[in-house]
């Protein structure tokens, strides 16, 4: 299976910057083989960023837990799908922490994503306190339980993102990443089609060391994905 590289732009880039990225990215991307590339911009830019020739696909960074209705400011999974999204990132630690997204809400978001044919990129990961106090496995187990109602036969992407590594420049060691990813795989052993990504300060300088470890199917990249050259350097690693 191809390695998967997902650019999580978070709340960055205006329309002008998105168009500039797109132009540069389109001229450079041609030579990446063996990689599936996904770009997750902010909601207004799906149409601008979609690639009709299929060199990359697009993803939402979030979706509503509800189908539709009187929910000012929300964006539904069906809307994402209708704009051409293939994936949706769910359960990112910034959503869990800053928007108080609970396991119950995340379970409903996964259901909405499935109803619309989107593949969830489901994020899990421990905080520094969790790790120091030896709770990493327990935290991963609890977060993966939020996927409990999701049918096992569907393709699923799980991103292991230690919270202490996100945006800090302090990447997990290959051993730490491998250990947690093995735990995730063990917990989801009944699933037929699962890919597990690493996320948290991944960059051109450290991606290949991690990719050499067993069990890592690619990356969810924040900061280093904002620049076309640096994101493509990761995709080529
Ligand atoms: P980072 O973010 O690569 O900037 O650490 C990763 C993420 O939050 O998905």
């Amino acid at each position: 299976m191809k390695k998967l590289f997902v650019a999580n732009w978070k709340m960055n880039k205006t329309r002008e910057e998105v168009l500039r990225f797109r132009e540069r990215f389109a001229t450079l991307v041609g030579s990446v083989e063996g990689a599936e590339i996904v770009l997750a911009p902010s909601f207004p830019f799906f149409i601008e960023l979609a690639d009709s020739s299929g060199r990359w696909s697009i993803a939402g960074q979030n979706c509503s837990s509800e189908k539709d209705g009187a929910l000012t400011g929300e964006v539904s999974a069906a809307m994402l799908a209708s704009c051409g999204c293939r994936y949706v990132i769910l359960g990112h630690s910034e959503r869990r922490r800053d928007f108080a997204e609970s396991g119950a809400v995340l379970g409903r978001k996964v259901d909405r994503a499935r109803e619309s044919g989107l593949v969830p990129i489901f994020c899990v990961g421990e905080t520094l306190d969790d790790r120091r106090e030896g709770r990493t496995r327990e935290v991963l187990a609890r977060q993966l339980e939020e996927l409990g109602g999701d049918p096992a036969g569907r393709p699923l992407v799980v991103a292991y993102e230690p919270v202490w590594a996100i945006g800090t420049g302090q990447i997990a060691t290959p051993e730490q990443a491998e250990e947690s990813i093995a735990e995730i795989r063990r917990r989801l052993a009944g699933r037929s089609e699962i890919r597990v990504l690493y996320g948290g300060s991944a960059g051109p300088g450290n991606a290949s060391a991690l990719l050499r470890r067993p069990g890592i199917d690619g990356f969810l990249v924040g900061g280093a994905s904002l620049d076309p050259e640096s994101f493509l350097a990761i995709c080529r690693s």
Side-chain angles (χ1 to χ4, degrees):
M1 208 187 291
K2 283 183 175 179
K3 297 286 183 191
L4 178 62
F5 299 87
V6 183
N8 175 14
W9 285 354
K10 312 191 180 185
M11 197 173 74
N12 290 294
K13 293 194 189 292
T14 61
R15 179 165 187 272
E16 223 168 60
E17 290 164 338
V18 169
L19 294 175
R20 219 178 303 135
F21 179 103
R22 190 194 195 291
E23 197 182 351
R24 182 92 185 116
F25 198 68
T27 61
L28 297 172
V29 72
S31 52
V32 184
E33 275 169 29
E36 179 183 348
I37 296 175
V38 180
L39 304 176
S42 296
F43 291 138
F45 306 125
F46 293 139
I47 303 293
E48 265 95 350
L49 206 57
D51 181 43
S52 54
S53 47
R55 291 168 295 176
W56 63 83
S57 56
I58 51 172
Q61 297 175 16
N62 181 30
C63 71
S64 173
S65 58
E66 304 307 317
K67 251 190 187 119
D68 54 23
L71 293 158
T72 302
E74 285 290 86
V75 174
S76 72
M79 291 171 188
L80 266 57
S82 72
C83 288
C85 287
R86 181 178 297 173
Y87 296 94
V88 59
I89 299 170
L90 294 174
H92 192 281
S93 65
E94 288 151 17
R95 302 287 324 171
R96 291 176 184 271
R97 183 192 61 210
D98 303 335
F99 298 88
E101 290 192 355
S102 66
V105 164
L106 287 172
R108 289 211 300 280
K109 290 189 178 204
V110 170
D111 292 346
R112 296 294 88 74
R114 292 299 190 193
E115 286 161 10
S116 298
L118 298 171
V119 176
I121 299 173
F122 193 78
C123 304
V124 296
E126 80 287 2
T127 64
L128 195 54
D129 281 351
D130 293 332
R131 178 161 282 276
R132 284 196 181 128
E133 287 157 30
R135 289 194 302 258
T136 299
R137 288 168 63 163
E138 183 191 318
V139 167
L140 296 178
R142 193 179 62 233
Q143 292 171 333
L144 291 170
E145 268 169 29
E146 295 157 6
L147 287 167
D150 190 48
R154 297 282 194 68
L156 173 72
V157 181
V158 173
Y160 169 57
E161 296 208 304
V163 179
W164 48 271
I166 295 176
T168 59
Q170 193 195 342
I171 193 167
T173 65
E175 292 73 22
Q176 287 170 328
E178 189 180 331
E179 192 185 345
S180 293
I181 285 174
E183 177 66 15
I184 291 167
R185 289 193 179 281
R186 203 174 64 73
R187 299 244 161 218
L188 297 176
R191 300 201 63 116
S192 57
E193 217 186 303
I194 174 166
R195 282 182 289 178
V196 186
L197 310 182
Y198 170 82
S201 296
N206 54 36
S208 39
L210 280 171
L211 272 185
R212 276 197 292 272
R213 308 300 282 217
I216 301 184
D217 296 320
F219 294 99
L220 179 55
V221 187
S225 74
L226 293 169
D227 172 72
E229 272 87 357
S230 94
F231 184 51
L232 278 171
I234 298 171
C235 301
R236 293 202 174 93
S237 59

